[in-house]
Amino acid sequence: DDAALVARRQAALGPAYRLFYETPVHLVRGEGVWLYDRQGEAYLDTYNNVACVGHCHPHVVQAMTAQAATFASHTRYLHDTVVDYAERLLATMPAGIGHMMFTCTGSEANDLAFRIAREATGGTGIIVTENAYHGVTLAVAEASPSLGTGVPLGAHVRTIPPPDPARLGPDVGTAFAAEVQRAIDDLKRHGIRPAALLVDTIFSSDGVFADPPGFLAPAADAIRAAGGLFIADEVQPGFGRTGAGMWGFARHGLVPDMISMGKPMGNGYPVAGLAMRPDVIAEFGARARYFNTFGGNAVAAATAAAVLDVIEDEGLIANARDVGAYLRDGLADLCRRHETLGTIRAAGLFIGADILTDGKPDGARAVRVVNALRRNRVLISASGPRGESLKIRPPLPFSRANADLFLDRLDQALKAN
Ligand code: PMP
């Protein structure tokens, strides 16, 4: 039974892993926007930005297995798939972004970005938001304050408040850039040259902050004026989720110096990477060599290319825009009926909805709502500094009917909690 498996899991994997939910969901299969447990119960997945084109999409599975059956090697032999894919991905980027390097995880992509930024700028200072999460390698964990006391922040790391209008005021762009400037000044006072500002282009672990479009541009200007680079973490918003093109930064009217990506890229196959302006890698390229055994392997490249096929063929960016707007309207309607549902923040199918008590964020109530939804067969998570914000990121083929079902179940969960 499940309790026995939980015990075996704990014994085999050790104490560092956590499971979602008071009663874990024991999954055996996925299809489209649905996940199935071992009793055959279907769960609506509104959590998962990994299965971005839908769980086990047949076109992606076919491309992955066909390549695995042809050859699956490490990356030091010449093969077409990685070059074809890199060219295709770069074609989705603005002019000026010219190279694509491959890793297996978003963490490694951000780690590589730090290494390149150090070489390019001669600095070491890194600026991130207060509750940011950017990954697990030691260098990145040291710049991921949401890990809490587990990993102390590096002495070269500075944190700034997230672009929350409730904290920074209505002119978020100017205020956020001023926070970046304060961090730059503090680094310099300590004799540390700034290397990079690393932020999500739709904020996620700080809570979802998406508006107004364009608010990141002044912050990017500030870090560049100080000799540092602007790195966009697209691990969550990338690959069409915002409904405004392939990349979250497009909403901000800026071109990052480097762009890290992962999660949705392989629809579950581990593939990630870093795109960049060619000039930022000149120093690193001259001094260092980079080898990642599995990064850009033929199966990864074929799988990721198939994900791009599906995004294009099924019009998933337009769907994210359309169903995202529909869902946002439905949530706004629920807000009017439940005083425990607060601000809705959204860009396409990347939506945050705060859970409140007496107008204040309430993480404990959010946990109750998340568990009530799980009992009602809807999977979702919460984020934000107090875990108060429902984070709604379904697979991109999410339909209006799926949205109606979600809104109905959320309505019930809010009524009961
Ligand atoms: N950046 C962001 C914004 C993330 O959400 C994550 C993963 N949660 C990462 C980086 C790290 O990606 P990975 O788990 O693939 O290493």
Side-chain angles (χ1 to χ4, degrees):
D1 64 0
D2 286 352
L5 186 60
V6 168
R8 276 173 54 212
R9 183 184 194 272
Q10 206 160 0
L13 306 185
Y17 293 97
R18 304 278 183 278
L19 280 166
F20 282 152
Y21 299 113
E22 291 153 359
T23 314
V25 183
H26 183 165
L27 294 177
V28 293
R29 178 171 87 78
E31 188 181 340
V33 300
W34 300 98
L35 288 165
Y36 296 85
D37 71 10
R38 70 197 173 90
Q39 280 87 21
E41 289 282 356
Y43 294 78
L44 183 66
D45 182 5
T46 69
Y47 165 74
N48 216 308
N49 78 322
V50 171
C52 92
V53 300
H55 291 278
C56 307
H57 193 290
H59 178 69
V60 178
V61 172
Q62 201 279 332
M64 182 195 302
T65 50
Q67 184 59 50
T70 309
F71 79 93
S73 166
H74 73 66
T75 54
R76 280 204 168 149
Y77 297 106
L78 188 63
H79 64 99
D80 300 305
T81 43
V82 70
V83 182
D84 291 344
Y85 178 61
E87 287 174 351
R88 224 174 131 188
L89 200 55
L90 287 168
T92 71
M93 299 269 175
I97 301 297
H99 296 320
M100 186 66 224
M101 294 173 76
F102 292 101
T103 61
C104 304
T105 63
S107 303
E108 289 168 82
N110 284 327
D111 189 283
L112 176 60
F114 285 174
R115 285 180 62 187
I116 293 173
R118 285 183 177 207
E119 292 289 340
T121 64
T124 55
I126 300 286
I127 303 170
V128 293
T129 49
E130 240 157 47
N131 205 49
Y133 180 76
H134 295 293
V136 293
T137 72
L138 189 54
V140 181
E142 282 183 341
S144 290
S146 71
L147 291 172
T149 52
V151 184
L153 287 189
H156 59 292
V157 175
R158 294 295 179 276
T159 60
I160 58 175
D164 179 357
R167 284 176 69 181
L168 299 187
D171 188 358
V172 193
T174 308
F176 192 61
E179 296 292 346
V180 172
Q181 190 59 50
R182 251 194 289 283
I184 290 166
D185 294 344
D186 190 59
L187 284 168
K188 286 185 176 164
R189 253 197 311 280
H190 289 83
I192 301 167
R193 219 192 289 180
L197 168 66
L198 170 63
V199 288
D200 303 356
T201 56
I202 305 293
F203 286 70
S204 56
S205 59
D206 290 278
V208 176
F209 299 110
D211 290 318
F215 76 75
L216 274 180
D221 291 344
I223 188 70
R224 285 170 174 155
L229 301 179
F230 178 76
I231 308 170
D233 186 326
E234 291 280 348
V235 167
Q236 301 244 2
F239 295 90
R241 176 158 297 279
T242 67
M246 276 285 277
W247 305 107
F249 62 77
R251 299 176 75 250
H252 292 282
L254 58 78
V255 180
D257 300 302
M258 288 189 268
I259 299 149
S260 57
M261 61 193 78
K263 285 185 192 281
M265 196 168 177
N267 210 48
Y269 189 93
V271 47
L274 186 71
M276 69 209 72
R277 291 205 335 258
D279 60 297
V280 303
I281 197 176
E283 286 296 321
F284 181 89
R287 257 196 279 268
R289 290 283 174 271
Y290 189 75
F291 174 61
N292 187 316
T293 300
F294 299 118
N297 75 76
V299 180
T303 306
V307 171
L308 292 185
D309 292 341
V310 179
I311 291 174
E312 287 163 19
D313 295 348
E314 298 185 6
L316 292 184
I317 297 179
N319 190 67
R321 192 162 56 235
D322 173 57
V323 179
Y326 181 77
L327 200 48
R328 181 185 206 153
D329 289 348
L331 286 163
D333 186 46
L334 281 188
C335 260
R336 284 187 280 276
R337 289 191 282 121
H338 295 277
E339 58 184 26
T340 50
L341 189 64
T343 321
I344 310 297
R345 304 187 184 89
L349 282 173
F350 199 140
I351 305 178
D354 289 353
I355 300 294
L356 311 174
T357 298
D358 299 329
K360 297 208 179 59
D362 186 345
R365 185 187 294 276
V367 170
R368 293 200 296 277
V369 171
V370 165
N371 280 298
L373 282 166
R374 178 245 179 274
R375 285 191 295 276
N376 230 337
R377 310 282 181 261
V378 174
L379 303 181
I380 196 167
S381 73
S383 77
R386 297 166 224 82
E388 72 276 24
S389 197
L390 296 181
K391 193 154 71 168
I392 307 162
R393 293 168 316 173
L396 300 188
F398 210 64
S399 68
R400 286 183 175 222
N402 297 146
D404 285 336
L405 181 66
F406 171 74
L407 290 164
D408 178 59
R409 302 277 165 93
L410 179 59
D411 189 21
Q412 291 175 36
L414 291 168
K415 271 184 193 138
N417 291 279

